[in-house]
Amino acid sequence: MTPLALMVVFVPATWPIWMGSFVLLLVAAIVDWALAVPLTKVVVHFRIPSVAYLGEPLVADLRLPNLGSRSVVDVTVDVTGAASIDPLHVTVRPDRHDWPLHVHLSRRGRFIVDRIHLAWTGPLGLISTLSSIDRTDECSVVPNIVAVQRAALRLSTHHTFMTGVKTRRMLGDGSEFEALRQYLPGLDHRMIDWKSSAKHRKLLWREHRSERNHRVILAFDSGRLMSEPINGLPRLDHAINAGMLLAYLALRSGDQVGLLGFDSEVRVFVSPVRGVASLHQLMARAAEIDYSTRESNFTLGLTELARRNVRRSVVVVLTDFVDPTSAELMVENLNHLAQKHLVVFLSLRDGTLTDVVRAQPADVATINRAVVAYDLEQDRDQVLQSLRRRGIHCIDATPEEATVKLLNKYLDVQRRELV
């Protein structure tokens, strides 16, 4: 209509053409509005799961009725909380009424679906009918137990798990006697049982297994730094996912597992429990570890851990740090803890720093960023070397590598009987 209106300005004799076009458009809009079905008569079905697992895909179900051969609808959803739902733009066909709405989760907690907005276009595509539907759907976002169970199935090896009711022993360099077997070339000759060999008149070899019933304490730092995201999820959630898989492995191996969550003070503590059935209790308590904007108090948190857990244990501290200066108190308190317990220190590294350091120096700004990132990595290495000199087992890994390296460290500790 705009070009025709401009034509009337320059060529006044064409005004009947503009008027006729305007009348036709107005009639078409009225017809489109009349043919459109009022949204007040439309029943929209919406469903979202009540529980979602952070890091897993989440889809809400939306069912739209068929309003004709050409029913175009735009759907937007208002959400309160740490989640967002992608808008939907579809043409409802007679053979399809169900549509998925993809939900993006950014952190643990709870979110509420407040309102669904619909914009339904008429058959001619000229008029859109707008409507809003109030909702009160709630969804709780919890730690990713699905990923824990999936990864646990991949870890079903003869080194770690029990099959049915028969325990598969962790054979190797342990101190507990398992059985006598005939000596074969390549076995450690120091483990030959000479007395039994003389009695049976053949070389017999003593097979041992690792001790069980150790204590594993997962200490989660939930301070300010752990709320910062890596790969779309807060560091704390990456740490909880890795820690819960370690808990599953330790419980299946016969060890006891406890839990501590702290920031400026101790927020959650679970005394060591045994049995795979206890994993759900640990998961529920881990979900209570909330994000915090406070600085982490390692003196209070680790001292309280040492006070509540007197028996020598494997203490896994899952945290992060910025520079050697801010990490001084952390190093000092980990050193005190390591004098009685075996301490495993897991730090979640942001792989972006490595990418910046290795980037091609295209300009001065890129070089400056690379220098700063390199200095930060050197500071991290300085703190980790300081911890290693104190006998602390350190793991510095990206979220993708953290779980595997943590499990390997736990298995190595068990095999070598370091506890």
Side-chain angles (χ1 to χ4, degrees):
M1 295 299 296
T2 302
L4 291 176
L6 292 175
M7 185 182 299
V8 172
V9 174
F10 294 103
V11 185
T14 60
W15 72 267
I17 299 176
W18 176 84
M19 183 59 68
S21 301
F22 178 78
V23 172
L24 288 177
L25 182 60
L26 182 61
V27 172
I30 295 174
V31 172
D32 194 26
W33 175 80
L35 295 177
V37 177
L39 285 181
T40 54
K41 299 181 180 180
V42 174
V43 179
V44 177
H45 298 280
F46 176 82
R47 186 177 65 86
I48 192 168
S50 59
V51 177
Y53 300 100
L54 188 63
E56 292 292 314
L58 178 63
V59 176
D61 297 324
L62 181 70
R63 184 176 179 84
L64 302 173
N66 179 33
L67 298 184
S69 58
R70 188 181 184 278
S71 301
V72 179
V73 63
D74 290 288
V75 182
T76 56
V77 182
D78 291 341
V79 178
T80 300
S84 61
I85 300 180
D86 290 342
L88 183 69
H89 177 81
V90 295
T91 300
V92 182
R93 304 190 303 266
D95 58 338
R96 181 177 179 182
H97 307 290
D98 297 320
W99 302 92
L101 291 174
H102 297 281
V103 185
H104 301 281
L105 307 175
S106 57
R107 58 195 302 168
R108 286 177 294 111
R110 187 183 66 171
F111 69 89
I112 302 174
V113 176
D114 297 318
R115 190 173 291 104
I116 300 176
H117 301 281
L118 301 173
W120 214 293
T121 305
L124 302 180
L126 300 176
I127 298 297
S128 292
T129 305
L130 304 179
S131 179
S132 296
I133 303 173
D134 292 330
R135 305 287 301 190
T136 56
D137 303 88
E138 295 186 6
C139 180
S140 299
V141 184
V142 300
N144 196 351
I145 189 174
V146 174
V148 173
Q149 294 172 340
R150 186 186 303 122
L153 292 177
R154 295 198 300 266
L155 292 171
S156 297
T157 66
H158 68 282
H159 294 291
T160 55
F161 293 125
M162 298 185 292
T163 302
V165 296
K166 294 183 179 180
T167 303
R168 288 187 170 182
R169 304 289 199 268
M170 299 182 67
L171 306 178
D173 300 333
S175 58
E176 290 190 2
F177 174 74
E178 173 67 16
L180 287 173
R181 56 178 294 189
Q182 186 172 353
Y183 177 80
L184 298 174
L187 295 177
D188 189 355
H189 61 84
R190 294 174 298 177
M191 302 305 297
I192 296 177
D193 191 323
W194 296 106
K195 182 180 293 187
S196 299
S197 299
K199 180 179 180 180
H200 294 85
R201 297 186 178 183
K202 60 181 178 180
L203 284 178
L204 296 178
W205 184 74
R206 294 175 61 88
E207 188 174 59
H208 292 79
R209 64 181 174 90
S210 299
E211 292 184 3
R212 295 161 46 137
N213 199 31
H214 297 306
R215 283 191 172 189
V216 179
I217 308 295
L218 303 173
F220 295 101
D221 172 17
S222 61
R224 176 180 58 84
L225 289 178
M226 295 298 286
S227 297
E228 296 181 358
I230 301 180
N231 299 341
L233 293 181
R235 282 177 164 87
L236 178 59
D237 292 309
H238 288 297
I240 289 177
N241 290 342
M244 289 300 100
L245 183 55
L246 175 60
Y248 182 88
L249 177 61
L251 292 172
R252 292 296 299 264
S253 299
D255 290 339
Q256 304 176 52
V257 179
L259 185 147
L260 173 77
F262 69 97
D263 49 13
S264 60
E265 59 183 280
V266 174
R267 303 294 180 180
V268 176
F269 180 78
V270 180
S271 298
V273 293
R274 70 174 74 248
V276 180
S278 302
L279 180 65
H280 294 284
Q281 176 189 353
L282 295 173
M283 291 289 295
R285 297 305 304 276
E288 297 176 8
I289 304 177
D290 200 1
Y291 309 98
S292 175
T293 57
R294 302 182 180 183
E295 294 293 338
S296 302
N297 189 334
F298 286 93
T299 302
L300 178 61
L302 298 183
T303 301
E304 184 68 13
L305 171 61
R307 186 186 70 82
R308 297 194 186 190
N309 184 69
V310 180
R311 176 180 165 184
R312 177 172 169 81
S313 309
V314 179
V315 179
V316 182
V317 181
L318 303 99
T319 183
D320 198 13
F321 59 93
V322 177
D323 52 63
T325 303
S326 62
E328 286 182 358
L329 280 177
M330 180 189 73
V331 173
E332 180 182 347
N333 285 280
L334 287 173
N335 183 37
H336 289 317
L337 190 66
Q339 294 176 7
K340 183 173 183 178
H341 303 279
L342 187 143
V343 179
V344 177
F345 178 81
L346 173 61
S347 176
L348 293 172
R349 173 169 47 86
D350 191 347
T352 306
L353 288 178
T354 304
D355 296 337
V356 172
V357 172
R358 296 177 180 177
Q360 292 295 329
D363 49 33
V364 176
T366 304
I367 296 175
N368 290 338
R369 286 194 296 268
V371 171
V372 173
Y374 178 78
D375 290 340
L376 291 175
E377 287 195 333
Q378 291 299 108
D379 289 343
R380 292 183 68 87
D381 291 339
Q382 179 181 341
V383 174
L384 295 173
Q385 290 298 332
S386 176
L387 291 173
R388 292 189 179 102
R389 286 195 297 268
R390 291 167 167 80
I392 297 172
H393 301 262
C394 296
I395 302 173
D396 184 36
T398 61
E400 297 81 7
E401 305 167 338
T403 300
V404 174
K405 290 187 176 181
L406 182 59
L407 297 184
N408 287 338
K409 177 60 67 176
Y410 167 75
L411 294 174
D412 183 62
V413 167
Q414 277 202 332
R415 182 184 61 83
R416 296 167 57 191
E417 294 283 324
L418 298 178
V419 185

